[in-house]
Amino acid sequence: LPTCEKLCERILSCGSIDYPHQCLSQCHNGPCPSCSTQIILQCRCGKSSKSISCVEAIEDDPIENPFRCKQKCKTVKSCKTHQCSRICCNLDSHQCNLVCGKILNCNIHKCEELCHSKFCHTCSLFDQEIKCHCGKTVLKPKSKCLKILQKCYFSCKREHECGHPANHWCHNDDECPPCTHPVSKMCVGKHMSFDVPCHVKIVCCRQGCGKFLPCGVHTCQRSCHSDSCQSFDQKCTQRCNIKRYKCGHKCNLVCHGSEPCPVTTCEAIIKQQQQLECDDEYRVIQENKNLTQPFSINLDAPRQLPTVYTEFLRDYAKKNLEFVQTIERQ
């Protein structure tokens, strides 16, 4: 269709019912563009306003995201003491939600009601008798205003889970102090027992732990303890005490568990007249000792040969017996 130079002036969907907006574009074909009419937008408290295009106002969604000014509300709340102080406040009523906190007539407790303009109520504990847990100590009305008694000088009558009698004063706490009744408990390493207070759960002595390590060969060298002897990813670092077959010295390598000892050169030091290293010569001597030991043969002892006397000496001794005896006595 042909167009002219006049304004379109079609009625748009925006604006109010009484004053709908019109298209301000030049005569055109097709749908009208977005409304460019400038409108005055007020903040939610009504104290500020700004000019904005109709299309921007629709995109900002004034219902979900209303325009807010930066002014603080100075309206006095219902307590007639505090101010609102909200930014761009739109409340119809200003109820104070703060706690009163004023000192009550007992001069000890504070008012726990919401902030109010009237006088605070009378302390509810001021005219009541207060009893301890066992009931033997009573605080008379108006003598003192306390939520709990400071101390009752009678023994506590509560039953403990351990079954031991309480040896402390009556109290208003929810739980009794730890039981201190002496009991005999075994240490965690099962070495010995001790007399300790009942509440003590873990008892450790000063003896060595002695439990086998995961390697299955060595024992724990720590003193008695409650935790595991060795962490999951930790390996035994003690030395192997298995004797070597040839020389008899200890393996002395880092623990290798139940696996056979690796074949390595012995580094033991031998103490004789001089210090010698464990070599092939020493290993031969040691093997000879191992072979002769079951037969009680001592290779280190000097050999004793039988004494042989000649026939002449035997005849002479028979004829001169007194002289021979004199020689033997010397």
Side-chain angles (χ1 to χ4, degrees):
L1 296 176
T3 58
C4 63
E5 296 180 356
K6 294 183 179 181
L7 297 178
C8 174
E9 295 183 347
R10 291 181 188 176
I11 301 299
L12 301 178
S13 59
C14 54
S16 63
I17 298 176
D18 297 332
Y19 300 99
H21 294 166
Q22 294 178 338
C23 179
L24 301 179
S25 300
Q26 189 177 355
C27 181
H28 59 86
N29 292 319
C32 296
S34 300
C35 181
S36 59
T37 303
Q38 294 291 318
I39 61 174
I40 302 300
L41 191 64
Q42 283 191 334
C43 66
R44 64 179 188 176
C45 70
K47 295 181 180 180
S48 298
S49 61
K50 68 176 180 178
S51 178
I52 188 173
S53 64
C54 181
V55 63
E56 290 178 351
I58 295 174
E59 290 177 354
D60 290 343
D61 192 357
I63 297 177
E64 296 293 335
N65 187 25
F67 165 53
R68 299 181 185 182
C69 66
K70 297 182 179 180
Q71 296 187 30
K72 285 187 178 181
C73 179
K74 297 182 179 180
T75 305
V76 178
K77 295 184 178 182
S78 58
C79 63
K80 298 181 180 180
T81 302
H82 303 111
Q83 289 184 347
C84 177
S85 299
R86 291 184 63 192
I87 302 297
C88 193
C89 178
N90 62 343
L91 297 177
D92 295 331
S93 62
H94 291 75
Q95 180 69 31
C96 186
N97 295 323
L98 300 176
V99 177
C100 176
K102 295 179 182 178
I103 299 296
L104 298 179
N105 61 325
C106 63
N107 293 326
I108 296 177
H109 299 110
K110 295 181 180 181
C111 179
E112 297 180 354
E113 294 183 353
L114 293 179
C115 191
H116 51 86
S117 58
K118 298 180 181 180
F119 291 105
C120 298
H121 62 80
T122 303
C123 181
S124 60
L125 301 175
F126 195 63
D127 297 326
Q128 296 180 6
E129 285 187 349
I130 302 177
K131 295 183 179 181
C132 67
H133 187 271
C134 69
K136 294 183 178 180
T137 302
V138 180
L139 199 63
K140 298 299 181 181
K142 297 186 180 181
S143 58
K144 280 186 178 180
C145 182
L146 298 173
K147 287 187 177 180
I148 58 174
L149 292 174
Q150 295 294 332
K151 196 169 186 179
C152 172
Y153 292 95
F154 292 91
S155 298
C156 179
K157 300 299 182 182
R158 304 188 192 190
E159 294 183 359
H160 291 178
E161 294 181 358
C162 60
H164 298 137
N167 57 355
H168 50 264
W169 301 118
C170 173
H171 58 91
N172 285 321
D173 297 331
D174 295 334
E175 296 182 0
C176 288
C179 179
T180 57
H181 189 83
V183 294
S184 179
K185 290 188 178 182
M186 184 69 68
C187 70
V188 293
K190 307 297 182 182
H191 303 124
M192 60 180 65
S193 58
F194 295 89
D195 289 336
V196 295
C198 177
H199 71 273
V200 177
K201 302 298 182 183
I202 300 176
V203 180
C204 297
C205 66
R206 295 185 178 180
Q207 293 190 16
C209 174
K211 295 179 182 178
F212 275 100
L213 297 177
C215 66
V217 178
H218 299 105
T219 56
C220 179
Q221 302 299 313
R222 296 169 57 190
S223 59
C224 183
H225 57 92
S226 59
D227 56 340
S228 58
C229 297
Q230 189 172 292
S231 60
F232 177 76
D233 56 347
Q234 186 179 2
K235 294 183 179 180
C236 179
T237 57
Q238 298 186 39
R239 296 289 176 174
C240 178
N241 294 323
I242 299 177
K243 292 185 178 180
R244 296 173 182 264
Y245 173 73
K246 292 185 177 181
C247 63
H249 292 135
K250 295 180 180 180
C251 172
N252 207 33
L253 296 176
V254 178
C255 178
H256 45 77
S258 58
E259 297 179 358
C261 296
V263 179
T264 58
T265 303
C266 180
E267 298 179 355
I269 302 299
I270 307 164
K271 291 184 178 180
Q272 291 182 348
Q273 294 180 354
Q274 58 181 354
Q275 290 187 348
L276 301 175
E277 293 186 356
C278 182
D279 53 7
D280 293 338
E281 182 180 355
Y282 174 78
R283 282 193 286 272
V284 171
I285 296 173
Q286 193 65 27
E287 287 180 0
N288 291 335
K289 286 185 178 181
N290 294 337
L291 292 174
T292 57
Q293 188 174 5
F295 303 100
S296 300
I297 299 175
N298 188 2
L299 297 178
D300 297 331
R303 297 183 180 181
Q304 296 181 356
L305 299 176
T307 304
V308 179
Y309 299 99
T310 63
E311 186 176 353
F312 171 77
L313 289 175
R314 290 197 297 270
D315 292 340
Y316 182 82
K318 291 179 181 179
K319 295 177 181 180
N320 301 281
L321 183 60
E322 185 177 354
F323 173 74
V324 173
Q325 290 177 348
T326 303
I327 296 300
E328 288 180 349
R329 285 195 294 269
Q330 294 178 357

